[in-house]
Amino acid sequence: MAERIHPADSPPTSGEHPTPKSPTSSPDKPVPQPGTYVIQIPKDQIYRVPPPENARRYEHLSKRKARRSSCRSCCCCLLITIIVLLLAAAIAAAVIYFVFKPESPNYSVENVAIRGFNLTSSTPLSPEFDVTVRAHNPNDKIGIYYEKGSSVRVYYEDINLCSGALPAFYQPTNNVTVFRTALKGSAIELTNGALMALSDQQNNGAVPFSLKLRAPVKIKVGSVKTWKITVKVTCKITVDRLTAASRIVSKDCDYGVDLW
């Protein structure tokens, strides 16, 4: 059985003489400090492994630590894989850029023939625009496939007047392609204010329109074709009159792409 040593007697108060030590007490046995306990446990009751009643808890904690370690390892492997793929993609893009030296194609509106505008009547309009577009591919080693599903729209302020589509074709390297597309609208109702503004602008020889072109394309690099990329062209054009003999006074086109 374990032995328990009770706290030693309190030190004597002032005026009292200390009680002499018993002659039977051993001088080598440590004396505990006042107010403390010392518990002695036999060696055969000290466990180096969990006792049976705590074995399941110990096993559960060990499995939890193993799962956490496995999750950390998986996350590290995934992160390393992503970094390697990003580096490989960056290296491939750099190689393609320096080998093929890609340049952006150029687009412009060369001519516009307009019909279907009767500004003296309040009946709905059926405007028609025959638009001639010039596309220039300046690349030496890159061709462009223009796919189906394109759209061309003409706006006056925020009003969509007419729409159409581009033909599907392949544009080889170092090529200039000029194509004409017919845009048609029907039952376009303009307010009296818009009709008066168009009439005044035509009298001044400067009628502004906005042309928006969206075309899905595939880039051919050597013998490889990319996924579909959307080409976006927005042109601000100003014509002198609303007739088939209209002439472009000014034009300004912006070009962009959607890679996905």
Side-chain angles (χ1 to χ4, degrees):
M1 295 296 293
E3 295 180 7
R4 175 173 294 179
I5 300 176
H6 293 281
D9 295 336
S10 301
T13 57
S14 60
E16 295 182 356
H17 296 285
T19 304
K21 293 182 179 180
S22 172
T24 59
S25 62
S26 174
D28 297 332
K29 191 172 183 179
V31 178
Q33 296 295 326
T36 62
Y37 292 92
V38 176
I39 300 176
Q40 296 180 350
I41 301 175
K43 290 184 178 181
D44 57 355
Q45 295 184 15
I46 299 177
Y47 294 94
R48 296 187 179 275
V49 295
E53 61 271 15
N54 292 336
R56 291 184 179 179
R57 182 180 180 185
Y58 177 78
E59 183 179 358
H60 178 70
L61 293 175
S62 299
K63 290 182 178 180
R64 182 182 296 178
K65 291 181 179 178
R67 284 197 298 267
R68 289 180 180 176
S69 178
S70 176
C71 290
R72 291 194 187 99
S73 299
C74 291
C75 291
C76 290
C77 291
L78 180 61
L79 182 60
I80 292 173
T81 303
I82 292 174
I83 292 174
V84 170
L85 291 176
L86 290 176
L87 288 176
I91 293 172
V95 170
I96 291 174
Y97 179 81
F98 286 109
V99 171
F100 295 98
K101 297 180 180 178
E103 296 182 44
S104 299
N106 300 317
Y107 299 92
S108 63
V109 179
E110 298 298 304
N111 188 42
V112 178
I114 303 174
R115 290 181 293 272
F117 277 91
N118 184 1
L119 303 181
T120 60
S121 174
S122 59
T123 58
L125 303 177
S126 297
E128 297 182 6
F129 281 64
D130 289 337
V131 181
T132 303
V133 179
R134 180 180 184 271
H136 176 211
N137 177 14
N139 294 282
D140 295 330
K141 301 178 182 180
I142 297 176
I144 304 175
Y145 286 92
Y146 288 83
E147 304 284 329
K148 294 181 179 179
S150 63
S151 65
V152 184
R153 293 182 173 87
V154 172
Y155 293 83
Y156 175 72
E157 296 180 351
D158 294 329
I159 304 171
N160 184 9
L161 297 176
C162 53
S163 60
L166 298 179
F169 66 97
Y170 171 69
Q171 187 176 29
T173 60
N174 287 319
N175 174 265
V176 175
T177 300
V178 178
F179 50 87
R180 185 175 180 180
T181 181
L183 312 179
K184 296 183 179 182
S186 62
I188 305 300
E189 296 184 1
L190 299 179
T191 63
N192 291 333
L195 291 172
M196 291 180 60
L198 280 171
S199 179
D200 292 340
Q201 290 164 347
Q202 182 173 223
N203 293 334
N204 294 328
V207 185
F209 292 105
S210 176
L211 183 143
K212 295 183 179 181
L213 184 152
R214 302 291 183 269
V217 303
K218 289 184 178 181
I219 307 299
K220 181 182 178 183
V221 182
S223 60
V224 178
K225 288 199 301 184
T226 66
W227 60 93
K228 283 187 179 182
I229 299 171
T230 302
V231 172
K232 303 186 300 182
V233 181
T234 301
C235 294
K236 303 292 185 181
I237 59 175
T238 302
V239 298
D240 61 345
R241 66 189 73 178
L242 299 173
T243 65
S246 63
R247 182 175 59 87
I248 296 177
V249 177
S250 64
K251 56 185 177 181
D252 181 25
C253 294
D254 292 330
Y255 164 83
V257 294
D258 284 339
L259 296 178
W260 312 106

